[in-house]
């Protein structure tokens, strides 16, 4: 027998032995593989579920001079960009107002106070120190409000509604306050006029005061409040 044929027979014998070994070990191999699979599944299930957190941020600037001029046309008292922006931030960052926006728009389960508090507590704004530093910049830097949550649509919608409703309610509050001031002043004018008319002295001084009161009264009555046509921020 040649060397080549001997090698062939050895290889053939080894292959047969391997097949026999695999057949004999079939149950062990299946059991071992199944055990590893079960262990892997159990380990995966034991891991804590990781919920992705999304962060949405909205940027905005102080009201420009045009907006302030238009606003002051509707108000009895005068506002500045600083005063309006301060009132805007105070309302937008109010926890109660933020919860009100969440409740009204039903983004999440309103009965889940823990979830509502989680959203509200995640709301952040530009750090005051950074804002002070931004005053030294050659251009105005925007303010930012951000919120984090498990649903990107909810976080972005909430921020948009928060800014929109803050602007809307602030404008309403300013106009309502102005209406109260105008009403109060009109009553005062009525009292001053009656005092002048009851005065026995009929001279130019009283005539001039009466004329000025009449002019002021007419101006106050001409105030128009177009709160739906002005966007402050």
């Amino acid at each position: 027998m040649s060397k080549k044929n001997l090698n062939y027979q050895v290889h053939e014998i080894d292959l047969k032995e391997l097949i026999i070994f695999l057949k004999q070990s079939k149950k062990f191999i299946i059991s071992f593989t199944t055990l590893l699979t079960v262990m892997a599944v159990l380990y995966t299930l034991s891991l804590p579920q990781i919920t992705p957190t999304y962060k949405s941020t909205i940027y905005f600037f102080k009201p420009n001079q045009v907006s302030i001029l238009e606003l002051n046309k509707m108000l009895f008292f005068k506002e500045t960009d600083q005063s309006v922006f301060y009132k805007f931030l105070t309302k937008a960052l109010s926890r109660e107002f933020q919860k009100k926006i969440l409740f009204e728009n039903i983004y999440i389960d309103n009965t889940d106070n823990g979830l509502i508090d989680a959203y509200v507590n995640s709301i952040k704004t530009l750090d005051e120190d950074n804002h002070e530093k931004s005053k030294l910049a050659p251009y105005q830097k925007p303010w930012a409000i951000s919120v984090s949550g498990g649903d990107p649509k909810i976080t972005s919608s909430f921020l948009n509604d928060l800014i929109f409703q803050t602007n809307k309610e602030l404008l309403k509050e300013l106009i309502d306050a102005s209406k109260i001031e105008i009403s109060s002043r009109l009553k005062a004018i009525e009292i001053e006029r009656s005092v002048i008319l009851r005065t026995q002295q009929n001279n130019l001084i009283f005539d001039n005061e009466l004329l000025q009161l009449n002019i002021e009264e007419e101006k106050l009555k001409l105030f128009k409040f177009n709160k739906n046509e002005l966007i402050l921020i």
Side-chain angles (χ1 to χ4, degrees), residues 36-223:
L36 289 179
T37 303
V38 172
M39 290 176 64
V41 171
L42 292 176
Y43 175 74
T44 302
L45 293 176
S46 68
L47 293 175
Q49 294 185 353
I50 301 176
T51 303
T53 300
Y54 301 92
K55 181 179 180 181
S56 298
T57 304
I58 191 167
Y59 298 90
F60 49 90
F61 292 93
K62 292 180 180 180
N64 56 44
Q65 291 301 317
V66 174
S67 296
I68 296 300
L69 288 173
E70 291 298 321
L71 174 66
N72 285 333
K73 289 179 182 179
M74 299 188 293
L75 302 180
F76 177 71
F77 46 82
K78 301 305 178 184
E79 293 283 352
T80 65
D81 58 342
Q82 293 283 358
S83 64
V84 171
F85 198 56
Y86 174 78
K87 293 173 182 176
F88 178 88
L89 286 177
T90 300
K91 177 168 285 294
L93 297 178
S94 165
R95 290 293 188 256
E96 293 304 316
F97 184 71
Q98 292 164 359
K99 289 183 178 181
K100 176 185 174 184
I101 300 300
L102 284 170
F103 274 107
E104 288 181 350
N105 293 276
I106 316 178
Y107 300 113
I108 55 181
D109 183 5
N110 288 345
T111 61
D112 191 343
N113 292 327
L115 188 57
I116 292 175
D117 289 337
Y119 266 96
V120 171
N121 292 334
S122 74
I123 297 175
K124 306 295 181 184
T125 187
L126 181 66
D127 185 81
E128 286 291 341
D129 291 338
N130 291 334
H131 179 60
E132 289 299 322
K133 293 177 182 178
S134 71
K135 293 180 179 179
L136 302 177
Y139 55 90
Q140 182 183 354
K141 290 188 177 181
W143 275 74
I145 294 179
S146 64
V147 62
S148 301
D151 191 323
K153 291 183 179 179
I154 290 179
T155 55
S156 59
S157 296
F158 169 69
L159 277 182
N160 288 332
D161 287 336
L162 177 64
I163 298 303
F164 175 78
Q165 291 297 332
T166 301
N167 184 87
K168 182 179 179 180
E169 292 207 14
L170 175 58
L171 185 56
K172 181 179 181 301
E173 289 176 3
L174 291 173
I175 289 176
D176 288 345
S178 190
K179 287 180 178 179
I180 293 173
E181 291 289 339
I182 289 174
S183 177
S184 177
R185 180 56 189 155
L186 286 173
K187 291 178 181 178
I189 288 175
E190 202 57 42
I191 294 173
E192 291 177 31
R193 182 189 290 116
S194 64
V195 170
I196 292 174
L197 293 176
R198 285 199 305 266
T199 303
Q200 297 299 321
Q201 301 176 8
N202 187 13
N203 54 46
L204 292 177
I205 295 179
F206 285 103
D207 288 343
N208 183 60
E209 288 182 358
L210 186 60
L211 176 62
Q212 293 300 321
L213 287 175
N214 290 336
I215 293 174
E216 183 181 0
E217 182 181 44
E218 290 303 316
K219 286 183 178 180
L220 292 176
K221 290 180 178 179
L222 290 175
F223 267 91

